Amino acid sequence: MAGCSQPADPALHRQFFALGTLVDLTIYGSAADTAERAATDIEQLFTRRHADWHAWQPGTLQATNRQLATLEGFPADPELLPLLRTANRLSRLSNGLFNPVIGKLVALWGFHSDERPDGPPPDNDRILELLRQNPSVADIALQDGQLQSRNPAVRYDLGGVAKGYAVDRGIELLQSHGIDNAILNAGGDLRAIGHHGDRPWRIGIRDPRGPGVLAAIELGDDESVFTSGDYERFFDHDGTRYHHIIDPRIGYPADTVTSVTVIHTDAATADAAATALFVAGPELWQTIARQMGIRYVMLIDHNGTIHMNPAMQQRVTFDTAPADVRLSKPL
Ligand code: ADP
Ligand code: MG
C-alpha cells in the first residue's frame, strides 16, 4: 500500500467536536492514506472517551461515582483506571488544589452540565456543607485494580485533566501509525510532536481579555501547552463573574487570576497543572509548579500583571510588549 500513497502536502487537517470542545488535528509530512487512517482513529477515540469520562452523563465514570458513594470496594474499570491513577497522583502533587473529586461542588455551581451555566450562585450554607465533608483523593484506596472510598462526598469530575489525558492517548495513537509530525489541539490546548517541515511548530496563546493572541511560542519536539482561563465557562450575577475553576479550599471560584499557561511534555500533567496553578494564584504558583515538575509557567493576574519564570520568558514572543511583567526565580 505504501507505494501508492502520496505525501500529504502541506498537511492533513481534520476538525470534530468531542470532550465538549472543538478538536483540531494537523498532520504534516505523512503519506495521505496513513494520515487519513490515523485521523479516523483519533476521532473514534475522542468520541468514545467523551461518554466514558463524563461525570454527568451515563457512562463508565458515572457508574464509578455511584459505586464509590456506596463506600464498598469494587473492581475499577480497566480503561478508566490509569486515568484515575494519573488524576490522583497529580492531585497529591498539587496539595489538592487540583482536586478531581470535588464533583459535588462543581455540580452545585452548575458547571457540570453542557448547558451554559447560569446564576445565582449556590447558597453559602450548601457550599460550607460540602467543604466540611472535605472530599480528597486521600479518601480513595486504589489497590490491585480495586477502588474504594471512605468518604461519601467523593465524586470524580475529571474536567480539569481528561482533555489532557485524551490528547496524550491521541498522540500515542498517531505515533503508532508512524506519524512523527502533528499537532493535536483540543479547544486551544494542545500537544505537538516533531516539526512543521523545516521549522518548529509555532502556536499562539489567547489573550484572556481580548479577542486576539497575546503571545507566540515555538515548540520543541514533543511539548504540550495548556491554558486555564476564567473566560471558558462562567456566568455573571449582580456584576460578579463566577467561573468554572473552583478553589477547593473555599468552595468558590478561584479569584486572583485570569489565565495560566503551562508548557510540559505530557498533556495530562500540563492540563492538571494549569488548573492547579490557577487556584494557587500569584502567591503560591511557584511552590506548586516545582512540586508538579513544571518548568514553564505564565500567569496573568487580575491587574493584568504577567507572572513568569525566566525560562518561560525566554520562550514567549509578545505581540505588544506587556506593561507589567513580574519575573519569578527560576523554577
Ligand atoms: P478548561 O480547559 O475547561 O478551561 P480546566 O482544565 O481548568 O478548564 O478545568 C476546569 C474544569 O475542571 C471545571 O469545569 C470542572 O469540571 C473541573 N474543576 C473545577 N475546579 C477544579 C479543581 N480545583 N480541581 C480539579 N478540577 C476542577
Ligand atoms: Mg486543566
Side-chain angles (χ1 to χ4, degrees):
M1 280 306 285
C4 63
S5 58
Q6 299 294 315
D9 187 28
L12 173 140
H13 190 214
R14 175 81 59 90
Q15 291 190 324
F16 54 92
F17 275 96
L19 299 173
T21 193
L22 181 67
V23 181
D24 184 304
L25 169 67
T26 306
I27 296 174
Y28 195 89
S30 289
D33 53 355
T34 306
E36 222 17 86
R37 273 199 301 273
T40 305
D41 280 3
I42 294 254
E43 192 167 343
Q44 260 172 19
L45 173 84
F46 271 71
T47 314
R48 194 155 39 99
R49 288 302 172 244
H50 179 84
D52 289 349
W53 296 346
H54 203 297
W56 314 104
Q57 286 176 11
T60 319
L61 186 60
Q62 198 182 61
T64 301
N65 271 335
R66 223 176 270 133
Q67 283 176 293
L68 281 169
T70 66
L71 308 187
E72 305 281 335
F74 63 97
D77 179 87
E79 295 243 25
L80 189 60
L81 194 58
L83 170 55
L84 298 185
R85 281 192 200 288
T86 301
N88 291 4
R89 177 175 52 82
L90 292 166
S91 184
R92 286 190 291 270
L93 290 174
S94 76
N95 291 0
L97 298 187
F98 166 76
N99 185 340
V101 295
I102 55 166
K104 281 189 156 198
L105 206 45
V106 175
L108 184 63
W109 277 95
F111 293 121
H112 59 303
S113 123
D114 284 342
E115 315 276 296
R116 208 172 171 279
D118 200 6
D123 275 352
N124 192 46
D125 286 351
R126 297 184 65 193
I127 294 173
L128 292 178
E129 170 65 16
L130 289 183
L131 282 188
R132 202 183 49 72
Q133 294 180 305
N134 190 26
S136 118
V137 297
D139 296 321
I140 299 166
L142 216 169
Q143 233 170 17
D144 306 324
Q146 289 280 119
L147 264 177
Q148 186 167 18
S149 166
R150 61 173 184 203
N151 182 340
V154 158
R155 291 291 182 285
Y156 274 103
D157 175 318
L158 299 171
V161 69
K163 200 166 46 166
Y165 189 82
V167 166
D168 285 334
R169 302 292 76 78
I171 290 290
E172 281 174 6
L173 195 61
L174 291 175
Q175 288 168 330
S176 75
H177 280 273
I179 288 165
D180 299 322
N181 306 291
I183 291 196
L184 184 52
N185 181 330
D189 295 321
L190 58 90
R191 179 164 170 175
I193 51 170
H195 304 90
H196 185 265
D198 53 8
R199 55 189 173 83
W201 293 108
R202 192 180 158 85
I203 57 121
I205 298 174
R206 186 177 153 182
D207 182 347
R209 286 292 175 268
V213 166
L214 183 73
I217 300 181
E218 283 189 354
L219 295 181
D221 223 340
D222 182 0
E223 285 189 313
S224 303
V225 185
F226 273 66
T227 298
S228 278
D230 66 1
Y231 48 81
E232 295 280 358
R233 283 174 78 68
F234 62 88
F235 62 83
D236 290 309
H237 186 78
D238 286 345
T240 303
R241 175 177 290 193
Y242 298 94
H243 65 81
H244 69 321
I245 301 173
I246 311 286
D247 183 338
R249 298 166 300 185
I250 56 170
Y252 280 77
D255 68 353
T256 56
V257 163
T258 56
S259 87
V260 175
T261 300
V262 165
I263 309 178
H264 191 75
T265 323
D266 73 274
T269 304
D271 193 353
T275 307
L277 299 184
F278 192 103
V279 176
E283 302 299 327
L284 198 55
W285 68 268
Q286 296 166 59
T287 307
I288 304 298
R290 282 194 193 103
Q291 276 180 209
M292 298 185 86
I294 305 296
R295 289 168 49 215
Y296 304 98
V297 179
M298 180 167 91
L299 176 151
I300 307 178
D301 72 19
H302 265 172
N303 305 317
T305 301
I306 299 184
H307 304 249
M308 285 186 284
N309 62 305
M312 182 62 144
Q313 189 201 27
Q314 303 235 304
R315 296 195 57 182
V316 289
T317 314
F318 288 95
D319 268 22
T320 335
D324 191 7
V325 172
R326 200 156 304 168
L327 271 193
S328 72
K329 295 209 176 94
L331 288 175

